[in-house]
Amino acid sequence: LKNDLEEMAYIFFRIDEEEYARLCLAAAMTMDEKDSSIRINPFLKLSLERSLDHYISIIEEKDKPEEPKNNSSSTIIIP
């Protein structure tokens, strides 16, 4: 889970959400503590995993090259 939080921090940093990146890193640092609530709460774990999947899909969409637009109405006809 600590690795997931660190990965999420990187993703937030990459999409210019520095505040969320800092929060994720802070949460990752608390994973070393013995009584971390994230470790014992399955809802928080699932929520984190779903959020990570969501932001990864956003980055993948940003990284896709745009397809050239085919504009058939601008065809030049030469007689």
Side-chain angles (χ1 to χ4, degrees):
L1 198 52
K2 180 179 179 179
N3 291 338
D4 289 341
L5 285 165
E6 290 170 343
E7 186 176 351
M8 191 120 181
Y10 170 75
I11 289 170
F12 280 129
F13 179 76
R14 192 156 170 217
I15 61 174
D16 296 323
E17 292 287 347
E18 292 182 23
E19 183 178 346
Y20 290 135
R22 281 191 223 111
L23 288 171
C24 284
L25 284 176
M29 289 174 51
T30 64
M31 294 304 296
D32 292 333
E33 296 174 9
K34 188 174 184 175
D35 295 330
S36 175
S37 63
I38 295 175
R39 282 190 187 195
I40 57 176
N41 190 328
F43 171 77
L44 290 176
K45 184 175 188 245
L46 179 62
S47 178
L48 175 67
E49 289 170 356
R50 293 183 116 194
S51 297
L52 187 57
D53 291 340
H54 173 74
Y55 283 105
I56 286 173
S57 70
I58 289 173
I59 286 185
E60 287 173 349
E61 284 295 316
K62 278 186 172 182
D63 289 344
K64 283 185 182 177
E66 288 189 30
E67 295 181 16
K69 295 179 181 177
N70 187 5
N71 193 353
S72 60
S73 66
S74 65
T75 307
I76 298 175
I77 301 174
I78 301 176

